[in-house]
Amino acid sequence: MNGSKRVFSRWYRSFFFVAGLLLGVVLLASCVTPLRVPTTPTPENVVPTYTSTPVAENVDAVASPMPTDAPVAEVPDPPLTVGISPLLGERDTSWLMPTLISIAELTTDSGPRPVTLLDRAENAALTVTFVPRPQAADSILLERYFAPVVPFDTVNDETTLAQLAARWRGEEDGGLIAPLESLAELTGIFGVPPADSVNVTSAALIFDALTASPGAIGIVAFDDLHPRFKVLAVDGANVLSNQLDAVSYPLAAALVTQGDGAAALSAQLAGLAPETTNRHADQLTTLIMTGVTAMSRVTALRMEQRGYTYPALVISDTLAAADITHISNEVPFLDDCVVNASENNLVLCSDTTYWAALEAVGTDIVGLSGNHVNDFGRDGARRSITWYRDNNIPIYGGGMNIEEACAPLMWEHNGNTFAFIATLAFEPSFAWATEDQPGACYYYNEKERIFDLIAEVRPQVDIVAVELQYLETYNPYPTPQQVIEFRELREQGVDIVTGVQSHVPQAMEPYAPNADRNASIIVYGLGNLFFDQMWSWQTRTELMARHTIYQGKLLSTEILTAVLEDYAQPRWTTPAERADLLRSIFNAAPAR
C-alpha cells in the first residue's frame, strides 16, 4: 500500500507538471501576434519577408501602437520667486516695490517666466540687495559712495577697510558712527553688525557724535560731506579725488539683482532709480589754492642754474592734477628782468621764461593782489599785464585801472560756477590801482565796491572765492583784526576766504552748512609756494588748500603740506613733519 502511494504520488506530480507546462505554452502563444504572410505573389527565386509587432509590457494599457514621431509634452519652467532685502529703507523700496508688483513675467534665456514676489527674501531665488561695489559686475541698479570721516582738526589722514570692518563688528577700540539712513548699504559692505557694535544716528548728527567721541570714526555719504569733516583715505584711495578709480573704491555699495533671472530683472528695473549714484564724476571740481609766489632773488638764481621748471619738479604732478590750479603771483613778469639775489632785495620781478615753472604745475588762474606788482613802476605793471593777456592767462585782482583790478574772474568747470576776487589790504600805496593807473585792487578804499560785487555775483555762481593780501605776520595765529575782517567777508556770502599774504602757514576755520547759507571755509594764511625764505622752519613750511566742489557745494578742504628746499624747490613733508605742521595750525585756530 505504501508503495502504491509513492507511485501515485510520483504520477500525480508528473501529471500536474506536464499540465502546467502545456498551459504556459498556450498562454504565451496567445500573447504573440501571428506572422502576417504577404498575399501578393512572390516573385520567383525571391525569399518573402515578414514583420511582427513587438510584445507590449502591459497588454491592458496598450490599445494600439504609438506613432514614433509623437511630440513630447514640455514641462513649464517654475515661477521666478523675487524678494527684496529687508534692510532696504523707504528711499529704495519706494521705487522698487511698485515696479516689482507690476511685473507679471520676465523673459529669460529659457523663455518667459512668471514672477512671484515673496515677503521673505531668504526664500526667494532672485533677490535685490546691496553688495560691495568692487564685487558687483553686472545687474547694477544704483551705487552709493561713502567717506570715513573725523573732525577737521585731526592729524591722522587714512584708515583701511579692515580697520573699519573691525570697528563695525565691535572688535577694535575707538568706535564707529554710522548714519541710520545708510544702514542697508553699509550692511551690504560689512555684513550684519553685532548688537550695539555701531553707534547709529541720523546723518545730520554724525559730526556732533564725533566731537563727543574722541577717537571715533564716522561714515558719511559722499554727497553729505561738508568742510568740518576731514575725509580719510581708505586703503590709499580718497573718494574726493578727481582721479578716483570708482569701480574699485572699497567703501561703496551697489544695489544689484542676484540669483536665477538676475539679468532679466535688472534690465526691467534699469533706469528707474531716481538717482543712480551719489557721486557723479562729471559734476566734481577740485580747486587748489596756493600762497606766496615770487620767483625772484635766490629762487630766480636757482632757476637759472638748474632750469626754469626746477621749483615745480617735486609737486607738479599733484598741483597739475587739480581741475583749477591757482597761483598768487606777487611780482611782475618782465622779459628783461635781471636776477638780483642780494639779501633783503625788495624790488622783485620774474623773467617771462619763468612761466615754465607755473605752467608745469598746471596753473589755470593767477591772482595779482600782491604788494610787489608795481615794483618796476606803473610801466612795468602795464607790460606784465599785457604779457598775461597776450598769452591768454586769466588774471584778476590787478589790472590797468581800478575797474579791471577789482573785477571778478568768472569760471566754470563740470557745471560748477565760480567768481574769484582778489584784493590788497596792505601797503605800499604805489601798488594800488587808480582810476587810470595799473596796480592791485586796494581793499580798504574799495570795500563797499567789493561787498557790492559779492552781493551781485552771489546769485549767479555756486562758489564765491575772495583772497586777501593782508598784513604780513610770521605767526600761525591770525591777528584779532584779521579774524574779524576775514569772518566779515564770509558773512557777506563768500564760500572760500583765503589769506595769500602770510609767509608762514596759519590756521583754518571750516563751517558746515546751515539753514541760511552753504558750507564755507576761512584759510587765514597758506605760507609761501615759490619764494626763497629759507631763514626759518616756519617760513620753509607751506600749505596748499585743495577744495572739492560737487554739484555747486563745497564738500571738503584737504590740507597739502610741503617744505622748501634749496631756496627754490618745495618737497612734500615727511609724516612726522606733516603731523607737527598740522598740529601747529590746528592749535592756532581762533575761538568760535
Side-chain angles (χ1 to χ4, degrees):
M1 186 68 181
N2 290 338
S4 298
K5 286 182 179 180
R6 286 194 296 272
V7 171
F8 177 79
S9 177
R10 286 195 300 271
W11 176 85
Y12 183 81
R13 287 195 300 272
S14 298
F15 171 80
F16 280 100
F17 173 76
V18 173
L21 182 61
L22 291 174
L23 179 61
V25 171
V26 172
L27 291 174
L28 180 61
S30 68
C31 294
V32 178
T33 303
L35 296 178
R36 297 193 296 272
V37 181
T39 57
T40 54
T42 302
E44 197 173 332
N45 299 326
V46 175
V47 179
T49 58
Y50 306 94
T51 60
S52 64
T53 302
V55 178
E57 294 182 2
N58 186 344
V59 176
D60 295 334
V62 179
S64 61
M66 292 289 292
T68 57
D69 57 351
V72 178
E74 295 184 2
V75 178
D77 290 329
L80 281 173
T81 54
V82 179
I84 300 177
S85 169
L87 295 172
L88 265 63
E90 182 180 354
R91 176 177 57 183
D92 296 312
T93 57
S94 61
W95 64 271
L96 267 175
M97 190 63 73
T99 304
L100 290 176
I101 291 173
S102 68
I103 298 175
E105 68 177 21
L106 289 173
T107 302
T108 67
D109 292 340
S110 60
R113 300 274 297 277
V115 173
T116 300
L117 185 61
L118 302 184
D119 290 335
R120 300 179 65 87
E122 63 270 24
N123 296 331
L126 178 57
T127 57
V128 183
T129 188
F130 278 106
V131 300
R133 178 62 183 86
Q135 297 177 18
D138 302 317
S139 304
I140 298 175
L141 304 177
L142 60 87
E143 54 191 16
R144 292 204 176 99
Y145 291 82
F146 297 88
V149 296
V150 289
F152 179 79
D153 57 351
T154 301
V155 172
N156 181 41
D157 294 313
E158 58 187 4
T159 185
T160 66
L161 190 66
Q163 289 172 340
L164 295 174
R167 291 189 180 213
W168 178 265
R169 297 189 297 267
E171 298 170 357
E172 183 173 299
D173 293 338
L176 190 68
I177 304 171
L180 176 65
E181 299 89 335
S182 300
L183 278 185
E185 296 95 318
L186 296 177
T187 301
I189 297 172
F190 296 117
V192 178
D196 301 324
S197 65
V198 181
N199 181 357
V200 179
T201 187
S202 167
L205 299 177
I206 285 184
F207 181 80
D208 293 337
L210 282 173
T211 56
S213 306
I217 296 177
I219 295 180
V220 175
F222 174 77
D223 51 338
D224 285 337
L225 289 170
H226 59 68
R228 296 201 74 185
F229 291 119
K230 177 178 184 174
V231 173
L232 302 179
V234 187
D235 295 332
N238 191 326
V239 73
L240 299 172
S241 174
N242 61 351
Q243 299 178 317
L244 179 73
D245 180 3
V247 173
S248 63
Y249 178 67
L251 198 59
L255 186 67
V256 299
T257 55
Q258 290 183 323
D260 185 20
L265 181 58
S266 179
Q268 192 83 4
L269 298 173
L272 297 180
E275 185 66 55
T276 56
T277 181
N278 67 336
R279 187 186 183 277
H280 297 272
D282 60 357
Q283 298 176 26
L284 181 147
T285 298
T286 57
L287 161 67
I288 288 185
M289 301 285 291
T290 62
V292 175
T293 286
M295 296 179 290
S296 304
R297 294 194 315 212
V298 184
T299 300
L301 179 62
R302 290 291 183 268
M303 295 173 75
E304 295 291 341
Q305 293 169 338
R306 309 187 192 284
Y308 298 144
T309 61
Y310 178 67
L313 292 181
V314 177
I315 64 172
S316 59
D317 287 350
T318 298
L319 268 65
D323 299 308
I324 308 172
T325 300
H326 155 273
I327 295 292
S328 177
N329 192 38
E330 295 228 8
V331 304
F333 270 115
L334 302 172
D335 59 7
D336 56 357
C337 180
V338 177
V339 175
N340 182 351
S342 58
E343 188 175 359
N344 296 326
N345 167 39
L346 293 178
V347 180
L348 308 177
C349 65
S350 291
D351 193 276
T352 53
T353 55
Y354 297 175
W355 176 259
L358 301 188
E359 184 176 39
V361 298
T363 301
D364 296 292
I365 59 175
V366 179
L368 299 181
S369 61
N371 60 335
H372 290 275
V373 291
N374 286 354
D375 275 9
F376 281 76
R378 305 284 183 175
D379 182 61
R382 291 188 188 93
R383 291 167 55 201
S384 181
I385 292 169
T386 300
W387 180 84
Y388 280 115
R389 291 175 175 169
D390 288 347
N391 288 276
N392 297 315
I393 299 168
I395 58 173
Y396 60 102
M400 294 296 190
N401 52 55
I402 194 64
E403 288 289 336
E404 291 183 2
C406 295
L409 173 66
M410 312 301 281
W411 203 263
E412 186 275 337
H413 176 268
N414 274 355
N416 299 305
T417 54
F418 301 80
F420 293 98
I421 299 171
T423 69
L424 172 59
F426 195 45
E427 297 178 339
S429 59
F430 67 75
W432 307 341
T434 69
E435 293 297 328
D436 57 0
Q437 295 292 323
C441 175
Y442 183 54
Y443 182 64
Y444 296 112
N445 284 352
E446 307 300 331
K447 189 172 181 178
E448 185 176 345
R449 180 201 298 262
I450 296 300
F451 283 13
D452 287 345
L453 277 173
I454 293 169
E456 179 184 337
V457 300
R458 176 70 278 173
Q460 302 174 28
V461 298
D462 300 314
I463 301 294
V464 178
V466 174
E467 60 201 76
L468 273 178
Q469 185 80 18
Y470 202 73
L471 173 70
E472 294 181 6
T473 60
Y474 290 84
N475 195 312
Y477 293 85
T479 67
Q481 187 62 26
Q482 184 181 0
V483 173
I484 291 171
E485 295 193 86
F486 279 45
R487 288 179 177 175
E488 185 180 31
L489 277 168
R490 177 185 171 272
E491 290 303 316
Q492 295 299 312
V494 178
D495 302 287
I496 302 172
V497 183
T498 306
V500 292
Q501 79 294 330
S502 175
H503 293 290
V504 301
Q506 290 190 307
M508 296 189 184
E509 193 172 289
Y511 290 85
N514 56 42
D516 299 324
R517 59 162 303 155
N518 295 329
S520 57
I521 190 167
I522 298 173
V523 178
Y524 285 102
L526 290 165
N528 297 318
L529 178 65
F530 297 142
F531 196 33
D532 67 354
Q533 290 184 324
M534 288 281 291
W535 46 267
S536 77
W537 179 253
Q538 283 190 319
T539 58
R540 290 180 60 197
T541 54
E542 307 182 357
L543 305 181
M544 288 151 261
R546 182 165 60 193
H547 307 288
T548 298
I549 296 90
Y550 180 72
Q551 293 183 341
K553 299 185 300 181
L554 177 64
L555 285 194
S556 182
T557 295
E558 302 168 87
I559 305 172
L560 309 181
T561 54
V563 176
L564 179 67
E565 297 285 4
D566 194 26
Y567 297 88
Q569 187 183 80
R571 63 162 174 82
W572 300 118
T573 52
T574 66
E577 291 169 345
R578 175 173 171 80
D580 287 342
L581 179 52
L582 290 180
R583 289 189 191 99
S584 73
I585 65 170
F586 293 153
N587 291 336
R592 294 276 182 172

